[in-house]
Amino acid sequence: MARSPVLARWPRLADVLCGLAIGLGQAPLGLWPLALLGLAGLLARLDRSSGWRAGAWTAWRTGAAYFALTLHWIVEPFLVDVARHGWMAPFALVLMAGGLALFWAAAGALAGGLRPGLSRGLGFALALMSAEMLRSYVFTGFPWALIGTIWIDTHAAQTAAFWGLHGLGLATLCILVLARAQPLGRGLATGAAGLALLTGLGMLRPDPPAIPPDAPVLRLVQPNAAQHLKWDPGMIPIFYARLLDLTARPAPGAPPALVIWPETAIAYRLENAGPLLSQIAETAGDAPVVLGAVRGTPAGATNALAVLDATGIPAQIYDKAHLVPFGEYVPFGDLAARLGIRGLAVAEGGGFLAGPGPQVLDFGPLGRALPLICYEAIFPNFGRARLAEADWMLQITNDAWFGQFAGPQQHLVLARFRAIERGMPLVRAANTGISTVVDATGALTDALPLGVAGTLDAALPPALATPPYARLGDLPLLIAMIVSLVGLMTRSRARAH
């Protein structure tokens, strides 16, 4: 096959263009055909690289461009308080993109040591997905911008119920590798057949049962409190009044059985907000209220979710267990504070304390819910041990930190994949959006868009049977990938001798 002029004259530019193309497949654009072209270009570049060093640099450049485009929203939290944190914004983007690209570089280096062609392509696919799984867990984990998420609005996304997002990403790469290993016409046919098979497997998954006409109704309240104004003393009572007004709106149908406010909905410590909590409960009538607030404990503050009873007393409390590094806490916080580095979400140097772990909340006729606060919904493994006790998932979040474009939409995509992987609905109340009810196939039954204040009254969809991935997690796939990769490397070295 002739080498293209771009690859021949500007190979480094070609790497960057491949990374940008892959990034365009992620939300909010969702241009997955361009992502497939970018991945195919990366495979072609790796196949032409000479040795592990060239493979590492090729994959790193592609990965850095991909993460820089996909995660450009990472600068948004630093711009909320520009005077205090603005100087960190460019460093955050560069370090995030370059650091995450190191996982791709490791996979490229390993592939560069294999024989060109099918062995190198499959080796890279296995190594990259193993590295992506690693970054989903190490250093508290960051499973954002995974390749498999490009499929969210297609039938292929449903296969995540069988093998998770890493399995979906591996299947995508393997289809491209097999297609590239053949002449152009046959390769296109192989690629089309592979994508058709992936789609067909997803279509085998059943739709959730219909929602009964008399199903209880949930009310999601979205106040749209901009982050730079949220803690302004002059705006705090305005946002609180807005929350009350939205809660008190007459229901178009049956009255809500549960009212849900977003993360840190009130700007007062939970333990000091007794009169307000009573007022909130009175406004909601007979419906209990879920809300987010900072909670003080003898050991320190937590990011909490509270369930208020009819008198305003927090009958159930969940403290967020998986905190955001450098957002909700700073490692070695006291030392970092002396250097002028503080968590974005709190003033204290050390930040929030982590809660004891996942738990399940009992909502009586509405069933039992696994609570997730913001970032916790991006982790496929979070709360998996408690899934058998839950009927649905409840996420409260404040995506105002992420701006009004890519960040909130990518966050929602990850929450939708949790519904697919677990076969259970997810209810999501977000401060500035997107507040929505997600059924067990990841589809939105209804939603409030970004940047508006309003309420959403919706019934809770039923669950599906527990999928294989919810029971098994990533371990079987990880073992299979490592065994396959070791076998491939052994075979390649044997042929070399």
Side-chain angles (χ1 to χ4, degrees):
M1 185 181 295
R3 192 172 182 178
S4 73
V6 171
L7 295 181
R9 296 183 183 180
W10 301 292
R12 294 176 183 172
L13 175 61
D15 297 337
V16 171
L17 292 176
C18 287
L20 296 177
I22 301 169
L24 292 174
Q26 298 289 345
L29 299 180
L31 302 176
W32 60 264
L34 281 182
L36 296 183
L37 287 175
L39 288 168
L42 170 58
L43 292 170
R45 287 280 298 127
L46 286 169
D47 208 35
R48 294 186 176 97
S49 64
S50 177
W52 69 269
R53 193 185 303 273
W57 277 111
T58 292
W60 184 86
R61 285 189 291 264
T62 303
Y66 167 66
F67 288 115
L69 176 62
T70 305
L71 303 179
H72 69 271
W73 54 264
I74 201 70
V75 304
E76 294 282 353
F78 298 94
L79 302 181
V80 170
D81 186 348
V82 175
R84 182 179 173 192
H85 297 123
W87 65 272
M88 301 182 192
F91 297 102
L93 181 58
V94 170
L95 291 175
M96 178 71 80
L100 295 179
L102 292 175
F103 290 93
W104 289 40
L110 189 148
L114 298 174
R115 291 168 56 88
L118 187 61
S119 292
R120 182 172 292 183
L122 290 176
F124 178 72
L126 291 165
L128 180 60
M129 287 303 100
S130 298
E132 290 286 84
M133 192 179 291
L134 182 64
R135 80 166 168 95
S136 299
Y137 290 93
V138 298
F139 307 123
T140 77
F142 190 65
W144 200 297
L146 299 174
I147 289 172
T149 52
I150 66 173
W151 298 114
I152 183 59
D153 289 317
T154 72
H155 289 292
Q158 299 304 312
T159 65
F162 310 129
W163 50 29
L165 270 172
H166 298 297
L168 182 52
L170 179 63
T172 303
L173 285 171
C174 286
I175 289 170
L176 294 173
V177 169
L178 294 175
R180 282 203 69 258
Q182 303 177 62
L184 181 60
R186 194 178 300 170
L188 290 175
T190 299
L195 295 179
L197 177 61
L198 197 61
T199 300
L201 287 174
M203 293 176 70
L204 292 176
R205 192 152 187 249
D207 293 329
I211 302 174
D214 59 347
V217 173
L218 311 174
R219 167 163 290 186
L220 309 184
V221 179
Q222 182 171 299
N224 193 36
Q227 192 60 41
H228 69 286
L229 300 174
K230 184 175 173 62
W231 305 103
D232 185 318
M235 294 299 297
I236 286 174
I238 294 175
F239 291 137
Y240 176 67
R242 183 183 298 175
L243 284 160
L244 291 178
D245 290 343
L246 292 171
T247 300
R249 280 186 179 179
L258 179 67
V259 176
I260 306 171
W261 289 13
E263 179 187 15
T264 54
I266 59 174
Y268 309 93
R269 293 289 182 110
L270 186 65
E271 68 276 13
N272 299 327
L276 276 69
L277 301 182
S278 299
Q279 184 181 23
I280 293 167
E282 182 180 358
T283 303
D286 295 330
V289 177
V290 171
L291 57 80
V294 175
R295 184 170 83 96
T297 72
T302 67
N303 185 356
L305 175 154
V307 183
L308 308 184
D309 65 14
T311 66
I313 294 175
Q316 301 179 81
I317 295 176
Y318 167 68
D319 292 317
K320 186 176 182 182
H322 198 138
L323 302 177
V324 183
F326 299 100
E328 294 173 309
Y329 78 97
V330 178
F332 309 106
D334 293 335
L335 174 61
R338 295 192 189 101
L339 301 175
I341 301 173
R342 297 180 181 270
L344 295 172
V346 287
E348 295 87 348
F352 287 127
L353 297 176
Q359 67 184 69
V360 174
L361 304 175
D362 191 347
F363 290 105
L366 285 169
R368 294 165 65 84
L370 177 76
L372 304 166
I373 298 180
C374 190
Y375 185 72
E376 290 175 330
I378 77 172
F379 298 97
N381 62 312
F382 185 83
R384 192 163 62 86
R386 306 297 300 269
L387 287 180
E389 307 168 48
D391 305 299
W392 52 289
M393 293 175 286
L394 168 60
Q395 183 194 17
I396 62 170
T397 185
N398 177 22
D399 286 4
W401 284 107
F402 302 155
Q404 292 283 316
F405 187 53
Q409 298 192 56
Q410 292 172 10
H411 195 197
L412 175 58
V413 166
L414 291 166
R416 292 171 64 186
F417 268 106
R418 297 299 84 80
I420 294 171
E421 294 161 353
R422 298 173 174 188
M424 62 174 59
L426 180 142
V427 176
R428 186 176 199 266
N431 172 24
T432 53
I434 303 167
S435 298
T436 183
V437 175
V438 182
D439 73 16
T441 65
L444 309 185
T445 65
D446 205 349
L448 288 170
L450 279 166
V452 302
T455 61
L456 175 62
D457 290 355
L460 181 66
L464 287 168
T466 303
Y469 181 75
R471 294 192 299 268
L472 302 174
D474 288 321
L475 185 58
L477 178 64
L478 178 61
I479 293 173
M481 288 194 300
I482 292 175
V483 170
S484 299
L485 190 55
V486 170
L488 194 64
M489 294 171 64
T490 302
R491 183 181 177 188
S492 181
R493 287 177 180 175
R495 286 189 173 182
H497 294 295

